[in-house]
Amino acid sequence: MSTLAAPVSHLRENPFEVAREQLAQVADVFNLDANLVNVLGQCKKAVEVSVPTRRDNGSVSVFHGFRVTHNIARGPSKGGIRYHPDVTLDEVKALAMWMTWKCALMGIPFGGAKGGIVCNPKELSRDELERMTRRYTSEIINEIGPERDIPAPDVGTDANVMAWIFDTYSMNKGHSVLGVVTGKPITIGGSLGREEATARGALYCLREALRQQQRGFDGLTVAVQGFGNVGSYLARFLTQNGASVVAVSDSSGGLHNSSGIDIAAATAHKQETGALQGFRGADSITNEELLLVDCEVLAPCALEQVVTGENADKMKARIICEGANGPLTPAADEILEERGVLILPDILANAGGVVVSYFEWVQGLQEYFWKEDEVNAKLNDIVTRAFTQTWELSEHRSISMRMAAYGLAVQRVAEATTTRGLYP
Ligand code: NAD
């Protein structure tokens, strides 16, 4: 048996401490009751499990897994499952807290949760991934469920992983339980539009921000970090809408072309070779260089804490659209705010995924499925409403978009918590 050693992490600061500090700042600005802040600053439940998994060569690896529920005052908890070597309990707790705020900001009836397994999915065969996923699901089976806690995809997981979770849970219950997980393949109860939803939501959010500046996507130059679910669809939608994507990257490195990258060709290259590296239509750059390229909009769509106190003052972008969760450290946030850069915060900019996950859950419970146009139109309504509310509060109180978004969200959760009362 082997237990996997943790590699050097991408995390520079403890993300849960960052999330708690954000909450403290919001409480200060919006004058929240200290008792409530104490409640909201902790996660309701954190489960840690070991996931012994038979490898193809007959050996057994023991992976570490987590599932955390931050808060359920507004409904069952909702949040993705991450497969990545750097996953830690505190990262999962931070991501769970951000999910609570995100669902509240969007006005959908969920609390926040997150899960993860410390593993490198790229080093596992499909069979190994399936065995690990099914064992992890069994270990957390009493925590999840359509009325309780509903997982979804995140970094390193996809519709196939969701299908195995759905199947494992359903086999144990003795019948298909569509509402237990979202981001499922369409053939087994997934929602049309879910796969693209996070990027579509980011696109709508950016469209609204540009509208405030009396401009559109035409000719807009954008750099996109991360070329997975969020980054690749966002790059595609941006070019389809007339923007010029001048830089993209994945974990293998970045590409730059000041005249714009042919995103369809880069996507085909990635599908063929497994990485962006080696694509001929652009120059190679590093992920660090990508953040600093000459562009109007930067969309970090990979991992947390990529923009820091060290690189924030060198960035050229005037708008940051946070496709990823927590891509800016607090120091970077402060520098960029001072420089007047417009930051579209994670809980607003990347909420499209959880909104369409909500639609998938509703469709699954009703066993009645909607057309893709209907899904996209309802997504547009919700994201545009949240953007407008956040923008107006930000103008009215002269605070950043992040403070306005978090303020709206935390106050909604605080109100629900107060209305329900403290049990017993
Ligand atoms: P994914 O696994 O599909 O893609 C992640 C991408 O990031 C890959 O292209 C990977 O190569 C790249 N990457 C990894 N390490 C990198 C590094 N150090 N530098 C540059 N690129 C790197 O994951 P995803 O679902 O697209 O999620 C990306 C981000 O968006 C995460 O922060 C996630 O929490 C957030 N998010 C995802 C969803 C969703 O619906 N999938 C919803 C909301 C937020």
Side-chain angles (χ1 to χ4, degrees):
M1 261 199 203
S2 66
T3 301
L4 298 190
V8 177
S9 171
H10 69 279
L11 296 169
R12 293 150 183 266
E13 295 176 43
N14 181 320
F16 190 50
E17 279 167 22
V18 171
R20 281 166 55 87
E21 179 52 33
Q22 280 172 340
L23 175 63
Q25 286 171 10
V26 170
D28 199 30
V29 172
F30 291 90
N31 210 10
L32 293 183
D33 176 71
N35 287 316
L36 261 176
V37 179
N38 280 342
V39 174
L40 300 179
Q42 296 297 337
C43 291
K44 172 182 161 60
K45 190 187 269 192
V47 175
E48 186 169 355
V49 294
S50 77
V51 189
T53 303
R54 175 119 13 235
R55 306 299 292 262
D56 292 342
N57 66 8
S59 68
V60 175
S61 295
V62 182
F63 299 97
H64 287 121
F66 307 101
R67 186 71 191 170
V68 172
T69 295
H70 170 250
N71 185 284
I72 57 163
R74 302 183 68 261
S77 54
K78 186 93 193 72
I81 291 177
R82 178 172 293 197
Y83 289 176
H84 193 276
D86 297 354
V87 166
T88 64
L89 179 57
D90 275 354
E91 179 186 44
V92 177
K93 283 166 120 179
L95 290 163
M97 188 187 277
W98 290 329
M99 282 305 297
T100 303
W101 311 146
K102 195 181 297 182
C103 294
L105 181 64
M106 292 299 122
I108 57 176
F110 288 135
K114 205 78 181 190
I117 301 183
V118 187
C119 69
N120 186 345
K122 288 184 193 154
E123 289 171 1
L124 297 173
S125 71
R126 193 182 153 85
D127 285 348
E128 289 171 337
L129 263 181
E130 177 171 353
R131 288 194 288 272
M132 183 185 76
T133 301
R134 287 186 183 278
R135 179 61 188 251
Y136 170 67
T137 308
S138 301
E139 295 294 343
I140 60 165
I141 204 153
N142 293 324
E143 312 307 325
I144 60 174
E147 291 96 23
R148 180 176 287 223
D149 175 24
I150 306 130
D154 190 71
V155 174
T157 56
D158 58 12
N160 287 323
V161 174
M162 299 306 118
W164 295 324
I165 296 174
F166 161 67
D167 187 65
T168 305
Y169 187 88
S170 297
M171 292 307 284
N172 277 272
K173 295 291 165 193
H175 60 98
S176 290
V177 184
L178 286 179
V180 68
V181 71
T182 59
K184 298 183 292 297
I186 304 294
T187 47
I188 55 166
S191 175
L192 293 169
R194 170 61 185 90
E195 193 173 300
E196 308 88 338
T198 306
R200 210 180 279 286
L203 185 86
Y204 295 156
C205 190
L206 186 53
R207 179 199 62 203
E208 293 306 305
L210 294 169
R211 199 196 300 277
Q212 294 295 336
Q213 302 178 350
Q214 278 93 42
R215 59 174 301 192
F217 287 112
D218 253 349
L220 185 80
T221 54
V222 189
V224 180
Q225 185 187 53
F227 209 68
N229 173 282
V230 182
S232 68
Y233 278 117
L234 181 59
R236 185 191 302 185
F237 293 152
L238 283 165
T239 47
Q240 284 170 353
N241 280 274
S244 172
V245 176
V246 295
V248 290
S249 71
D250 62 13
S251 55
S252 74
L255 302 172
H256 179 238
N257 182 340
S258 53
S259 316
I261 295 170
D262 180 343
I263 295 300
T267 305
H269 176 84
K270 172 132 181 153
Q271 268 159 7
E272 266 166 43
T273 66
L276 286 172
Q277 214 175 33
F279 176 64
R280 294 242 176 104
D283 300 326
S284 286
I285 53 169
T286 64
N287 261 296
E288 291 69 38
E289 287 166 342
L290 175 133
L291 301 169
L292 309 181
V293 299
D294 201 359
C295 62
E296 290 161 288
V297 179
L298 171 70
C301 300
L303 297 171
E304 304 94 328
Q305 301 178 10
V306 292
V307 184
T308 67
E310 280 115 66
N311 58 12
D313 57 352
K314 301 188 198 94
M315 281 179 37
K316 319 258 182 335
R318 300 301 302 162
I319 300 179
I320 296 185
C321 180
E322 294 188 337
N325 288 304
L328 274 55
T329 64
D333 206 33
E334 212 179 304
I335 293 169
L336 291 164
E337 282 297 336
E338 260 169 36
R339 288 183 47 207
V341 174
L342 174 62
I343 299 168
L344 304 176
D346 44 13
I347 62 167
L348 177 64
N350 70 37
V354 75
V355 171
V356 178
S357 272
Y358 166 53
F359 298 160
E360 181 175 332
W361 179 74
V362 169
Q363 292 170 79
L365 293 181
Q366 299 182 338
E367 310 226 7
Y368 177 72
F369 292 87
W370 311 345
K371 293 190 202 117
E372 188 166 357
D373 285 353
E374 208 175 332
V375 169
N376 292 342
K378 287 185 160 80
L379 171 64
N380 191 12
D381 285 350
I382 290 183
V383 171
T384 306
R385 179 185 65 194
F387 179 92
T388 307
Q389 290 171 341
T390 308
W391 185 270
E392 284 174 0
L393 182 62
S394 150
E395 294 276 290
H396 177 63
R397 296 278 308 257
S398 299
I399 51 178
S400 69
M401 284 290 277
R402 188 184 311 281
M403 183 55 76
Y406 277 67
L408 278 171
V410 173
Q411 288 185 102
R412 286 174 188 171
V413 180
E415 193 186 335
T417 306
T418 310
T419 307
R420 285 177 71 144
L422 185 65
Y423 179 87

